[in-house]
Amino acid sequence: MLSKTYDPLKKKRLEILSPEGKVTKPNLMPKIELETIRKWYETMVFARVADQKALQYQRQGRMLTYAPSIGQEAASLGAVVATEERDWLVPAFRELAAWLHKGAPLEKLFLYWYGNEAGSLLPASVRMLPISVPIASQFTHAVGLGMAIRYEEKDEVVLAFCGDGGTSQGEFHEALNFAGVFQAPVIFVIQNNQFAISVSRRDQTRSETLAQKAVAYGIPGIQVDGNDLFAMVAATQEAVARARAGEGPTLIEAVTYRLGPHTTSDDPSIYRSDEEVEAWKEKDPILRLKRYLLSKKALSEEEDQQLYKDFEEEINVIFSQVESSESPDLEEVFSYTYDSLTPTLKKQLETAKQFLGGGE
Amino acid sequence: MALLNNIGALTQAFDQEMELDPRVVLYGEDAGFEGGVFRATKGLQEKYGKKRCFDTPLAEAGIVGSAIGMAIYGLKPVVEIQFSGFVLPAFNEIVAHAARYRNRTRGKYPLSMVIRMPYGGGIRALEHHSESIEALFAHIPGLKVVIPSTPYDTKGLMIAAIRDPDPVIFMEPKRIYRAFKQEVPEESYTVEIGKARIVQPGSDLTLVAWGAMVREAQKAIDLLADTEISVELIDLRTISPIDRDTLIQSVKKTGRFLVVHEAVSSFGPGAELISLITEEAFLSLEAPPTRLAGYDIPVPLPKGEHHFMITPKKIVSEIKRLIAY
Ligand SMILES: Cc1ncc(C[n+]2csc(CCOP(=O)(O)OP(=O)(O)O)c2C)c(N)n1
Ligand SMILES: [Mg+2]
């Protein structure tokens, strides 16, 4: 069992694909068709280009605050691909590649960051909760989903995300404890991207690893190289199998790095050096997978360049749709606070309409 | 005198109080090294060291709870909550403890501490970054709730809050953090907590606002320049305790009362103020005391936020309605 072999208390970290793109532990390599890996690679590249475009739009004043996932594509994607369509995805706010794989249309995701609630309304078939802004609060919801799944005796599992900063919140700990007590089928993934805005991982907690926090709650925990797609898949597959078998939750720490700013309002040069960033660029999850695919002849340099070009065009088109979308009208803004308008809301809507007509 | 915006005024207040009183400590998420996401504490770690100005783990209950412990010990913690929307994990600490410790210990452990947080809308932000939740705190006995609207008041009220013997919730209208500058005295001074400010005297209607709404109210009054209507504008400055006398006297003079706030209308601060006016100035009233407030909905994301915003035009419209009543 990976979570036994890779004991976080012994500072073990699961790695399968080296930064040079070589499989260093063939025995642990999950069995995946090359074609599938290529498809996942494309999702990662698509997410990367979407993030870069969003940052660009924001600089041009066409997008609001945006939190890019650049550098973390393997951490979120590697986890979600180990789950099925019937399983649930509980996001924080920095898992773009996973959301896309789960079936969230980029148009919707952009619409959300564009400042329109309609962006949180995903297709009915997509079992994904909306972005959760209050840090780590979503972990308890994941547990509730898991408890309901057990209650209904389904074989679904829940995949939930938070960041390294999230591990300091009370709700993080309450969720892990609940999940342990009720053996909820939840896979908790911490994307340890080394920062919570300006606060570094080592200033966040004295724990040597974040994975070891599982130990206190009596659940398996494992630290994984989060820039290694295969390691993420392997660790999550094992956790999913355990959860489906009724053996409860797992905590996965994905060690990764936020290559971009926290959000578009952040200046990372204040709190970290260029050298540090450059060193992590060498461990870029996309670069690594590309090297692997090149070596397997499943991708060529030309094809790769074409991918970026095609995606850029596709994303420009998607964003222009977002830009030409209707803003919510007055009625819509009032419509969702309750099932139906309260007497006070009816009165307020009436007043608001008068203001709209410039009434005095 | 120095020309400061609201952020500069905050930084100067912290700096002078830290200089003066070694018990003052300042902390929060990103508040140390980086000086906070709005840079209100910028330079203070450099000047006073990590011991007195530092980053914490990402945990609001921990931030406020530890501040309570420090205050019991006799330090003067000034803690930053990154946005008021994220104070909720600390609500238990604030309501169950900070507000009650003096009472519980029969005065043995009063808590002199400041919990500060940016709040309010109009900055085109994500969810949870735009609400105005002053009423949640004002409803709790034992807390003082302060909201400045100018750099002068920001500095003076913050210094007063740090020296106050009770816990002060200091809410900062982030929309006007850097909106304008004002001459602020170099030396230390306080603005009394619990005292409203008459921004402009008038005879026909009392208009009460605070935070970012004070500027909107002033713009509304400008729009009325070519009418005969004379508005008395009051910046409440402290939500709790309310400056009863200033409000009552004003309404006794003007006979009309309009309160404007971004916070949602129902069970909001306006309701409390209107109760006060109705109880204490009933016979002077020539029109129903009225609130112009946020609708009872979550503040919409930026693409719909304009529907929610209180604008000078809306204020003018309400003023005219009450004058014509
Ligand atoms: C309860 C709460 N407090 C503060 C914030 C403000 N905030 C937004 S993101 C962030 C840092 C999050 O760090 P981490 O959990 O590591 O996630 P990352 O941003 O690195 O993905 C903070 C403090 C928030 N959103 N929620
Ligand atoms: Mg992080």
Side-chain angles (χ1 to χ4, degrees):
Chain A
M1 225 170 56
L2 291 175
S3 63
K4 284 261 156 59
T5 323
Y6 290 87
D7 182 348
L9 290 176
K10 294 190 180 123
K11 296 188 203 168
K12 292 272 178 65
R13 180 186 301 175
L14 177 64
E15 294 159 340
I16 295 175
L17 184 67
S18 74
E20 296 74 35
K22 297 216 165 49
V23 171
T24 54
K25 300 209 183 54
N27 57 321
L28 298 181
M29 177 70 184
K31 286 178 193 44
I32 323 159
E33 302 285 336
L34 209 47
E35 216 174 293
T36 307
I37 299 175
R38 161 77 192 246
K39 248 184 48 213
W40 292 347
Y41 176 75
E42 288 182 15
T43 302
M44 285 165 63
V45 172
F46 188 83
R48 174 71 57 97
V49 179
D51 271 340
Q52 280 164 343
K53 295 298 294 181
L55 290 176
Q56 188 191 327
Y57 301 141
Q58 204 277 342
R59 275 194 298 273
Q60 296 165 345
R62 298 161 65 196
M63 185 72 134
L64 300 167
T65 313
Y66 186 84
S69 314
I70 297 171
Q72 302 178 214
E73 292 86 352
S76 74
L77 187 76
V80 78
V81 296
T83 66
E84 304 288 335
E85 201 178 333
R86 67 183 185 284
D87 297 327
W88 292 75
L89 175 59
V90 179
F93 52 85
R94 209 187 294 283
E95 304 90 23
L96 179 58
W99 307 339
L100 291 167
H101 178 87
K102 193 71 186 161
L106 183 64
E107 189 184 338
K108 285 285 190 176
L109 301 171
F110 271 177
L111 193 61
Y112 171 83
W113 295 108
Y114 195 65
N116 189 330
E117 287 84 351
S120 289
L121 176 60
L122 298 177
S125 61
V126 179
R127 288 191 152 177
M128 173 179 151
L129 301 193
I131 284 172
S132 172
V133 176
I135 301 298
S137 54
Q138 70 279 6
F139 261 31
T140 47
H141 314 159
V143 174
L145 286 170
M147 290 166 75
I149 287 166
R150 286 210 73 176
Y151 185 92
E152 298 284 1
E153 299 177 9
K154 295 280 165 55
D155 76 336
E156 297 152 17
V157 304
V158 185
L159 176 66
F161 288 93
C162 81
D164 45 313
T167 66
S168 295
Q169 281 290 6
E171 279 143 311
F172 171 89
H173 296 272
E174 294 180 28
L176 257 57
N177 191 43
F178 261 62
V181 167
F182 297 108
Q183 290 292 283
V186 183
I187 298 93
F188 299 101
V189 177
I190 305 165
Q191 289 201 77
N192 171 8
N193 64 1
Q194 313 304 330
F195 292 96
I197 310 187
S198 72
V199 178
S200 71
R201 187 355 240 145
R202 73 179 175 280
D203 288 336
Q204 196 62 243
T205 170
R206 270 286 176 124
S207 299
E208 191 82 39
T209 68
L210 301 178
Q212 78 195 52
K213 291 183 187 285
V215 176
Y217 299 103
I219 68 176
I222 182 169
Q223 191 186 59
V224 179
D225 180 345
N227 286 5
D228 172 346
L229 184 77
F230 301 146
M232 282 305 296
V233 175
T236 314
Q237 277 179 344
E238 184 183 286
V240 167
R242 212 168 17 240
R244 268 202 230 294
E247 291 161 27
T250 302
L251 178 66
I252 297 175
E253 175 190 2
V255 179
T256 179
Y257 194 83
R258 160 161 66 68
L259 287 174
H262 169 70
T263 64
T264 41
S265 359
D266 172 48
D267 175 9
S269 71
I270 294 175
Y271 53 82
R272 67 189 193 186
S273 69
D274 288 347
E275 297 83 75
E276 181 182 303
V277 179
E278 287 310 312
W280 275 93
K281 279 189 181 160
E282 255 316 293
K283 301 188 221 168
D284 186 323
I286 292 186
L287 181 63
R288 184 180 307 200
L289 198 61
K290 176 180 159 181
R291 285 170 173 160
Y292 174 82
L293 289 171
L294 288 174
S295 75
K296 296 283 175 198
K297 306 261 183 292
L299 179 78
S300 71
E301 279 290 356
E302 297 72 50
E303 283 172 337
D304 194 45
Q305 280 169 21
Q306 194 59 43
L307 271 185
Y308 279 84
K309 274 208 201 82
D310 292 349
F311 288 160
E312 200 169 315
E313 272 172 36
E314 192 179 334
I315 289 162
N316 275 331
V317 171
I318 291 171
F319 189 65
S320 63
Q321 283 162 5
V322 170
E323 275 189 311
S324 58
S325 63
E326 298 270 333
S327 290
D329 62 19
L330 188 59
E331 302 261 356
E332 181 178 342
V333 155
F334 273 78
S335 292
Y336 294 99
T337 305
Y338 295 99
D339 178 53
S340 55
L341 291 185
T342 61
T344 302
L345 278 172
K346 276 186 193 151
K347 169 86 175 117
Q348 289 180 355
L349 178 57
E350 220 172 275
T351 312
K353 279 180 181 162
Q354 278 164 22
F355 284 132
L356 208 60
E360 291 183 348
Chain B
M1 295 288 236
L3 206 53
L4 297 178
N5 60 24
N6 283 315
I7 286 284
L10 279 172
T11 315
Q12 199 174 81
F14 300 140
D15 189 8
Q16 292 181 352
E17 283 303 281
M18 289 174 91
E19 183 89 55
L20 187 76
D21 187 345
R23 296 171 304 167
V24 176
V25 286
L26 217 139
Y27 60 94
E29 293 157 13
D30 305 279
F33 181 75
E34 187 177 67
V37 294
F38 291 104
R39 308 292 186 263
T41 54
K42 193 167 173 237
L44 298 174
Q45 182 175 87
E46 235 171 314
K47 185 163 174 189
Y48 296 100
K50 272 191 175 174
K51 183 179 166 190
R52 298 188 61 196
C53 177
F54 54 89
D55 292 327
T56 65
L58 206 173
E60 289 77 11
I63 291 170
V64 174
S66 64
I68 291 172
M70 283 196 177
I72 291 170
Y73 201 84
L75 297 184
K76 288 182 149 284
V78 180
V79 294
E80 174 175 314
I81 300 294
Q82 203 159 77
F83 288 89
S84 65
F86 305 132
V87 73
L88 302 176
F91 212 56
N92 186 36
E93 292 293 339
I94 295 173
V95 178
H97 295 302
R100 309 171 65 103
Y101 234 85
R102 173 190 293 278
N103 184 65
R104 184 182 300 146
T105 63
R106 301 284 92 177
K108 184 178 181 201
Y109 294 126
L111 302 180
S112 177
M113 60 188 277
V114 180
I115 304 169
R116 46 175 292 263
M117 60 193 84
Y119 88 99
I123 61 153
R124 300 165 60 72
L126 293 174
E127 202 184 350
H128 308 295
H129 291 73
S130 303
E131 267 75 12
S132 298
I133 55 170
E134 59 269 32
L136 295 188
F137 301 109
H139 191 66
I140 306 301
L143 301 176
K144 293 182 178 174
V145 183
V146 172
I147 301 182
S149 76
T150 64
Y152 180 90
D153 284 351
T154 295
K155 178 175 169 183
L157 283 167
M158 178 52 83
I159 293 177
I162 294 172
R163 296 179 189 175
D164 199 274
D166 286 305
V168 177
I169 308 291
F170 199 92
M171 301 183 69
E172 302 162 8
K174 58 184 175 296
R175 177 180 172 189
I176 54 166
Y177 261 157
R178 296 176 188 278
F180 60 99
K181 289 186 175 176
Q182 187 185 23
E183 291 287 353
V184 172
E186 206 72 65
E187 65 276 8
S188 179
Y189 63 91
T190 58
V191 168
E192 191 180 339
I193 292 177
K195 277 272 172 292
R197 174 174 67 102
I198 299 178
V199 181
Q200 162 185 322
S203 53
D204 298 330
L205 178 140
T206 300
L207 176 59
V208 177
W210 52 89
M213 286 302 103
V214 174
R215 287 191 94 210
E216 302 310 294
Q218 278 170 314
K219 286 181 204 159
I221 291 171
D222 291 345
L223 290 176
L224 290 169
D226 57 357
T227 69
E228 302 279 274
I229 302 170
S230 162
V231 174
E232 175 145 301
L233 175 59
I234 296 178
D235 178 353
L236 194 60
R237 299 198 294 197
T238 297
I239 310 304
S240 176
I242 295 172
D243 181 353
R244 300 165 60 93
D245 291 348
T246 301
L247 296 182
I248 294 164
Q249 272 161 30
S250 176
V251 177
K252 283 189 170 163
K253 181 175 68 172
T254 64
R256 294 181 186 85
F257 181 81
L258 175 63
V259 49
V260 173
H261 61 67
E262 291 176 80
V264 300
S265 177
S266 291
F267 307 94
E272 182 60 36
L273 298 182
I274 288 171
S275 280
L276 172 74
I277 295 307
T278 315
E279 285 163 6
E280 304 290 340
F282 188 70
L283 292 178
S284 311
L285 288 170
E286 292 173 43
T290 298
R291 61 193 155 174
L292 176 58
Y295 306 125
D296 293 357
I297 57 176
V299 179
L301 291 183
K303 289 294 156 191
E305 194 183 8
H306 60 283
H307 295 303
F308 187 90
M309 299 300 294
I310 297 205
T311 59
K313 255 181 83 178
K314 286 184 184 175
I315 300 174
V316 165
S317 153
E318 280 302 81
I319 290 175
K320 287 188 173 167
R321 191 174 69 79
L322 293 179
I323 295 290
Y325 189 84

